[in-house]
Short mmCIF file of all heavy atoms in Angstrom, two decimals:
data_model
loop_
_atom_site.label_atom_id
_atom_site.label_comp_id
_atom_site.label_asym_id
_atom_site.label_seq_id
_atom_site.Cartn_x
_atom_site.Cartn_y
_atom_site.Cartn_z
N ALA K 12 101.58 95.17 91.25
CA ALA K 12 102.19 96.44 91.66
C ALA K 12 101.17 97.57 91.59
O ALA K 12 101.08 98.42 92.49
CB ALA K 12 103.39 96.75 90.77
N ALA K 13 100.38 97.59 90.51
CA ALA K 13 99.37 98.64 90.35
C ALA K 13 98.30 98.52 91.43
O ALA K 13 97.86 99.52 92.02
CB ALA K 13 98.74 98.55 88.96
N MET K 14 97.86 97.30 91.72
CA MET K 14 96.81 97.10 92.72
C MET K 14 97.31 97.40 94.13
O MET K 14 96.53 97.89 94.98
CB MET K 14 96.27 95.68 92.64
CG MET K 14 95.33 95.42 91.47
SD MET K 14 93.91 96.56 91.45
CE MET K 14 93.15 96.20 93.05
N ASP K 15 98.57 97.14 94.39
CA ASP K 15 99.13 97.45 95.72
C ASP K 15 99.06 98.96 95.97
O ASP K 15 98.70 99.41 97.07
CB ASP K 15 100.59 96.98 95.81
CG ASP K 15 100.70 95.46 95.83
OD1 ASP K 15 99.65 94.80 95.93
OD2 ASP K 15 101.84 94.95 95.73
N VAL K 16 99.38 99.75 94.95
CA VAL K 16 99.29 101.21 95.07
C VAL K 16 97.83 101.64 95.15
O VAL K 16 97.47 102.53 95.94
CB VAL K 16 100.00 101.90 93.88
CG1 VAL K 16 99.78 103.41 93.93
CG2 VAL K 16 101.49 101.58 93.89
N PHE K 17 97.00 101.00 94.36
CA PHE K 17 95.57 101.34 94.34
C PHE K 17 94.95 101.15 95.73
O PHE K 17 94.18 101.99 96.21
CB PHE K 17 94.85 100.49 93.30
CG PHE K 17 93.35 100.70 93.27
CD1 PHE K 17 92.81 101.78 92.58
CD2 PHE K 17 92.50 99.84 93.94
CE1 PHE K 17 91.44 101.98 92.56
CE2 PHE K 17 91.12 100.03 93.92
CZ PHE K 17 90.59 101.11 93.23
N ARG K 18 95.27 100.03 96.38
CA ARG K 18 94.72 99.76 97.72
C ARG K 18 95.13 100.86 98.71
O ARG K 18 94.33 101.31 99.53
CB ARG K 18 95.20 98.41 98.24
CG ARG K 18 94.60 97.22 97.53
CD ARG K 18 94.99 95.90 98.18
NE ARG K 18 94.81 94.82 97.23
CZ ARG K 18 95.77 94.35 96.44
NH1 ARG K 18 97.00 94.84 96.53
NH2 ARG K 18 95.52 93.39 95.58
N ALA K 19 96.37 101.28 98.59
CA ALA K 19 96.85 102.33 99.50
C ALA K 19 96.12 103.65 99.26
O ALA K 19 95.75 104.35 100.22
CB ALA K 19 98.36 102.52 99.31
N CYS K 20 95.87 103.97 98.02
CA CYS K 20 95.15 105.21 97.70
C CYS K 20 93.68 105.11 98.13
O CYS K 20 93.11 106.08 98.64
CB CYS K 20 95.23 105.50 96.21
SG CYS K 20 96.90 105.89 95.63
N ALA K 21 93.09 103.93 97.90
CA ALA K 21 91.68 103.74 98.27
C ALA K 21 91.51 103.82 99.78
O ALA K 21 90.49 104.32 100.28
CB ALA K 21 91.18 102.40 97.74
N LYS K 22 92.51 103.35 100.51
CA LYS K 22 92.43 103.35 101.98
C LYS K 22 92.29 104.76 102.53
O LYS K 22 91.57 105.00 103.51
CB LYS K 22 93.66 102.67 102.57
CG LYS K 22 93.62 102.54 104.08
CD LYS K 22 94.83 101.79 104.62
CE LYS K 22 94.76 101.65 106.13
NZ LYS K 22 95.93 100.91 106.67
N VAL K 23 92.97 105.72 101.88
CA VAL K 23 92.90 107.12 102.35
C VAL K 23 91.92 107.94 101.52
O VAL K 23 91.83 109.15 101.67
CB VAL K 23 94.30 107.77 102.32
CG1 VAL K 23 95.23 107.03 103.29
CG2 VAL K 23 94.88 107.76 100.90
N ASP K 24 91.17 107.24 100.63
CA ASP K 24 90.15 107.89 99.80
C ASP K 24 90.74 109.04 98.99
O ASP K 24 90.15 110.13 98.91
CB ASP K 24 88.98 108.37 100.65
CG ASP K 24 87.76 108.71 99.82
OD1 ASP K 24 87.63 108.20 98.69
OD2 ASP K 24 86.92 109.52 100.29
N GLU K 25 91.88 108.80 98.37
CA GLU K 25 92.49 109.84 97.54
C GLU K 25 91.76 109.94 96.21
O GLU K 25 91.58 108.94 95.50
CB GLU K 25 93.97 109.54 97.29
CG GLU K 25 94.63 110.60 96.41
CD GLU K 25 96.10 110.34 96.14
OE1 GLU K 25 96.77 109.71 97.00
OE2 GLU K 25 96.59 110.76 95.07
N ARG K 26 91.34 111.13 95.87
CA ARG K 26 90.63 111.37 94.61
C ARG K 26 91.42 112.44 93.84
O ARG K 26 91.23 113.63 94.05
CB ARG K 26 89.20 111.82 94.85
CG ARG K 26 88.43 110.83 95.72
CD ARG K 26 86.98 111.24 95.95
NE ARG K 26 86.31 110.32 96.84
CZ ARG K 26 85.00 110.31 97.07
NH1 ARG K 26 84.22 111.19 96.45
NH2 ARG K 26 84.47 109.42 97.89
N SER K 27 92.30 111.99 92.99
CA SER K 27 93.23 112.92 92.33
C SER K 27 93.46 112.51 90.89
O SER K 27 93.01 111.44 90.44
CB SER K 27 94.57 112.91 93.08
OG SER K 27 95.13 111.59 93.01
N LYS K 28 94.17 113.37 90.16
CA LYS K 28 94.50 113.09 88.77
C LYS K 28 95.38 111.86 88.67
O LYS K 28 95.23 111.04 87.75
CB LYS K 28 95.21 114.30 88.17
CG LYS K 28 95.71 114.12 86.74
CD LYS K 28 94.56 113.92 85.77
CE LYS K 28 95.04 114.02 84.31
NZ LYS K 28 96.07 113.03 83.95
N ARG K 29 96.33 111.69 89.60
CA ARG K 29 97.22 110.54 89.50
C ARG K 29 96.48 109.23 89.75
O ARG K 29 96.79 108.20 89.14
CB ARG K 29 98.42 110.70 90.45
CG ARG K 29 98.09 110.66 91.93
CD ARG K 29 99.36 110.75 92.77
NE ARG K 29 99.08 110.64 94.21
CZ ARG K 29 100.03 110.58 95.14
NH1 ARG K 29 101.31 110.62 94.79
NH2 ARG K 29 99.70 110.48 96.42
N VAL K 30 95.51 109.25 90.65
CA VAL K 30 94.71 108.03 90.88
C VAL K 30 93.82 107.76 89.66
O VAL K 30 93.62 106.61 89.27
CB VAL K 30 93.87 108.16 92.16
CG1 VAL K 30 92.94 106.95 92.31
CG2 VAL K 30 94.78 108.28 93.39
N LEU K 31 93.32 108.82 89.04
CA LEU K 31 92.53 108.67 87.81
C LEU K 31 93.38 107.97 86.74
O LEU K 31 92.91 107.03 86.07
CB LEU K 31 92.07 110.04 87.31
CG LEU K 31 91.19 110.06 86.06
CD1 LEU K 31 89.85 109.39 86.32
CD2 LEU K 31 90.97 111.50 85.59
N ASP K 32 94.62 108.40 86.61
CA ASP K 32 95.52 107.77 85.63
C ASP K 32 95.81 106.32 86.02
O ASP K 32 95.92 105.45 85.15
CB ASP K 32 96.83 108.56 85.55
CG ASP K 32 96.65 109.95 84.97
OD1 ASP K 32 95.62 110.17 84.29
OD2 ASP K 32 97.51 110.82 85.20
N LEU K 33 95.92 106.09 87.32
CA LEU K 33 96.18 104.73 87.79
C LEU K 33 95.02 103.80 87.44
O LEU K 33 95.24 102.65 87.03
CB LEU K 33 96.41 104.74 89.31
CG LEU K 33 96.60 103.38 89.98
CD1 LEU K 33 97.84 102.66 89.44
CD2 LEU K 33 96.70 103.54 91.50
N THR K 34 93.81 104.29 87.58
CA THR K 34 92.66 103.43 87.25
C THR K 34 92.69 103.03 85.77
O THR K 34 92.32 101.90 85.43
CB THR K 34 91.32 104.14 87.56
OG1 THR K 34 91.18 105.32 86.75
CG2 THR K 34 91.21 104.48 89.03
N ALA K 35 93.14 103.94 84.90
CA ALA K 35 93.22 103.61 83.47
C ALA K 35 94.22 102.48 83.23
O ALA K 35 93.99 101.59 82.39
CB ALA K 35 93.59 104.84 82.66
N VAL K 36 95.32 102.51 83.98
CA VAL K 36 96.33 101.45 83.86
C VAL K 36 95.73 100.11 84.28
O VAL K 36 95.90 99.09 83.59
CB VAL K 36 97.56 101.78 84.73
CG1 VAL K 36 98.52 100.59 84.76
CG2 VAL K 36 98.28 103.02 84.20
N ILE K 37 95.01 100.10 85.39
CA ILE K 37 94.43 98.85 85.88
C ILE K 37 93.32 98.36 84.97
O ILE K 37 93.21 97.16 84.67
CB ILE K 37 93.92 99.03 87.33
CG1 ILE K 37 95.08 99.39 88.25
CG2 ILE K 37 93.22 97.76 87.82
CD1 ILE K 37 94.66 99.77 89.66
N ILE K 38 92.47 99.28 84.51
CA ILE K 38 91.37 98.90 83.61
C ILE K 38 91.91 98.29 82.32
O ILE K 38 91.32 97.35 81.77
CB ILE K 38 90.48 100.13 83.31
CG1 ILE K 38 89.63 100.46 84.55
CG2 ILE K 38 89.58 99.89 82.10
CD1 ILE K 38 88.94 101.80 84.49
N ASP K 39 93.06 98.79 81.87
CA ASP K 39 93.66 98.22 80.66
C ASP K 39 94.03 96.75 80.88
O ASP K 39 93.97 95.95 79.95
CB ASP K 39 94.90 99.03 80.28
CG ASP K 39 95.47 98.59 78.94
OD1 ASP K 39 94.71 98.56 77.96
OD2 ASP K 39 96.67 98.28 78.88
N MET K 40 94.37 96.41 82.11
CA MET K 40 94.73 95.02 82.42
C MET K 40 93.52 94.20 82.87
O MET K 40 93.47 92.99 82.64
CB MET K 40 95.82 95.00 83.51
CG MET K 40 97.15 95.58 83.06
SD MET K 40 98.44 95.43 84.33
CE MET K 40 98.01 96.80 85.44
N ASN K 41 92.57 94.86 83.51
CA ASN K 41 91.40 94.15 84.03
C ASN K 41 90.16 95.06 83.91
O ASN K 41 89.75 95.71 84.87
CB ASN K 41 91.62 93.75 85.50
CG ASN K 41 90.43 92.99 86.07
OD1 ASN K 41 89.50 92.62 85.35
ND2 ASN K 41 90.45 92.75 87.38
N PRO K 42 89.54 95.10 82.72
CA PRO K 42 88.43 96.04 82.49
C PRO K 42 87.14 95.68 83.24
O PRO K 42 86.19 96.46 83.20
CB PRO K 42 88.22 95.94 80.97
CG PRO K 42 88.75 94.60 80.59
CD PRO K 42 89.91 94.35 81.51
N ALA K 43 87.11 94.55 83.92
CA ALA K 43 85.90 94.16 84.65
C ALA K 43 86.00 94.46 86.14
O ALA K 43 85.15 94.02 86.92
CB ALA K 43 85.62 92.67 84.44
#
């Protein structure tokens, strides 16, 4: 679910606080 949203944000090159928070969620699950 997190990666599905991440792909959508990356597609439009969104650089925002909410995407920053999203990366922390994903890194917690997959730090590599």
Side-chain angles (χ1 to χ4, degrees):
M14 284 303 301
D15 290 352
V16 174
F17 176 81
R18 290 187 200 93
C20 294
K22 184 177 181 180
V23 297
D24 195 23
E25 179 180 331
R26 304 181 183 191
S27 62
K28 176 64 169 60
R29 67 177 183 174
V30 175
L31 183 65
D32 293 340
L33 176 62
T34 62
V36 172
I37 298 173
I38 286 168
D39 187 53
M40 293 184 281
N41 181 8

